[in-house]
Amino acid sequence: KYTSGSPSLFTAYAYYPSTTNTNNNTDGIFYSSIRWGYGTHSELALDQDWASVGTHEVGHWINLRHTFENGCSFPGDYVDDTPPTTGGTIELAGCLNNDQSCSVSTNGENYMDYNHDCKKMFTQGQVDRMTAALSLPSRIMLWSQSNLQATGCALPPVSFVGLNATYCTTDTVVTLTGTPAGGTFSGTGITGNQFDPSGAGIGSHTITYSFTYPGGNTDSISLSVDVSVCTGIKEGHIISGLQVFPNPNSGLFMIEFNRTEIVNTELKITDILGQVVYRENLTHSSGKYKKQISLNKYRAGVYCLQLVTEQGVLTKKVIIE
Ligand SMILES: [Zn+2]
């Protein structure tokens, strides 16, 4: 806000951290244009450096008091390593730190003094106090990742979608979408942003999406995908209503199907490497089959249930978690 007259009513002021102020839109730093830079709007001469007053106000905004707060008395400015001093009106000659008003040399170069021509430093204690203040509820929005993302000032965390947990080798190529956009996919079966199950081949694969943030930090996320052989006869021809439930399961599940003709059927469950973990021969039988199978002792993963008949093989994926 422009304030006319000389001397001006104020140069600048700031609010200490306070959720009440923040919630009532009365938070912030206010700076008079007549003490900002040079030109027709400013009453400062070219050799007057008041720029440090801006730093002083930011100091207040993140909880620093003046070095002369409480004069020579405890607790002063609530910072241990700033020497006490009595007055804000003291203009130190030549930045010599020669004010002895509390019987010790003051720190006239401190940003939180009023000696604006000499300001050039904060103490470590002041830095610690400001750092702590940045975690206060009224200041944490300045840098918290969630708020930076909510206000469009930061990119969201790395993630990607479009990849199922399991595929058959016969499945077509799928397109993956990474967030934030512009990152790189890598892993077996990946070309650009596409995953090709047949290109990846049978087995478990890790697909990774990496993104480098503008600041230079690279983050990535990896998902695993299982590809298995799922060839077989068309369901409904001889065998219908093949069901596995629950699926996925913990190793204990029901198998149910119906045979419309008298056939020799071999029920076989194999792991991802083709190793048989369950086998049952259903010779010359027909009708409904329903049975509980336990594969509790086998590790989690994708298994292949096969119903082998003279007419072909019917296959279903069984996922043990
Ligand atoms: Zn001040």
Side-chain angles (χ1 to χ4, degrees):
K1 182 178 170 184
Y2 183 83
T3 311
S4 61
S6 182
S8 57
L9 297 174
F10 64 85
T11 298
Y13 62 91
Y15 287 97
Y16 292 131
S18 152
T19 45
T20 308
N21 288 341
T22 309
N23 294 339
N24 290 306
N25 289 328
T26 53
D27 198 4
I29 299 169
F30 298 80
Y31 206 104
S32 169
S33 61
I34 62 170
R35 294 272 171 86
W36 186 265
Y38 309 111
T40 51
H41 69 279
S42 174
E43 64 178 28
L44 297 182
L46 268 175
D47 59 344
Q48 283 183 296
D49 179 11
W50 285 51
S52 59
V53 178
T55 308
H56 174 102
E57 298 308 329
V58 173
H60 282 316
W61 192 73
I62 39 184
N63 218 19
L64 291 189
R65 267 53 173 180
H66 294 127
T67 49
F68 50 85
E69 179 107 0
N70 290 312
C72 302
S73 308
F74 179 84
D77 61 354
Y78 306 96
V79 174
D80 287 343
D81 61 359
T82 49
T85 177
T86 52
T89 53
I90 299 168
E91 290 282 336
L92 300 178
C95 305
L96 293 174
N97 298 331
N98 59 356
D99 163 48
Q100 298 279 332
S101 57
C102 291
S103 304
V104 288
S105 289
T106 191
N107 181 202
E109 295 172 340
N110 198 287
Y111 280 117
M112 300 317 289
D113 197 287
Y114 259 12
N115 191 20
H116 57 81
D117 279 333
C118 297
K119 289 178 203 274
K120 59 171 73 163
M121 66 172 286
F122 289 115
T123 65
Q124 184 60 51
Q126 288 174 313
V127 170
D128 293 344
R129 187 173 168 85
M130 287 189 283
T131 304
L134 285 173
S135 290
L136 292 171
S138 59
R139 296 292 176 258
I140 199 165
M141 295 93 75
L142 198 64
W143 58 272
S144 70
Q145 201 60 18
S146 57
N147 194 55
L148 291 178
Q149 284 166 20
T151 52
C153 296
L155 292 162
V158 171
S159 66
F160 74 90
V161 294
L163 188 71
N164 292 342
T166 58
Y167 287 98
C168 300
T169 48
T170 49
D171 284 340
T172 52
V173 169
V174 290
T175 300
L176 311 177
T177 307
T179 304
T184 310
F185 285 99
S186 60
T188 312
I190 288 289
T191 308
N193 65 336
Q194 295 194 310
F195 174 69
D196 178 6
S198 73
I202 298 161
S204 185
H205 309 288
T206 302
I207 306 303
T208 302
Y209 182 66
S210 308
F211 181 83
T212 301
Y213 285 94
N217 288 338
T218 297
D219 205 356
S220 67
I221 188 159
S222 295
L223 298 176
S224 75
V225 58
D226 287 310
V227 178
S228 55
V229 185
C230 315
T231 54
I233 51 169
K234 232 182 166 59
E235 192 188 14
H237 180 58
I238 300 166
I239 294 167
S240 64
L242 173 59
Q243 284 190 73
V244 174
F245 54 91
N247 194 22
N249 57 66
S250 57
L252 193 65
F253 55 92
M254 296 293 296
I255 296 177
E256 192 180 313
F257 57 89
N258 200 47
R259 286 153 297 176
T260 53
E261 295 174 20
I262 295 169
V263 284
N264 291 324
T265 311
E266 183 191 22
L267 196 166
K268 200 162 78 171
I269 300 173
T270 56
D271 67 12
I272 200 104
L273 301 170
Q275 214 88 50
V276 177
V277 296
Y278 182 86
R279 174 179 273 140
E280 187 180 351
N281 281 307
L282 310 164
T283 313
H284 203 66
S285 55
S286 68
K288 194 174 174 134
Y289 173 96
K290 187 173 182 177
K291 190 170 186 177
Q292 188 174 52
I293 308 278
S294 171
L295 295 181
N296 280 326
K297 60 180 177 173
Y298 294 99
R299 68 178 185 91
V302 178
Y303 290 81
C304 191
L305 164 67
Q306 294 176 291
L307 291 175
V308 185
T309 71
E310 289 92 338
Q311 276 75 24
V313 184
L314 184 62
T315 311
K316 201 169 187 71
K317 265 183 277 188
V318 180
I319 298 164
I320 297 178
E321 291 179 331

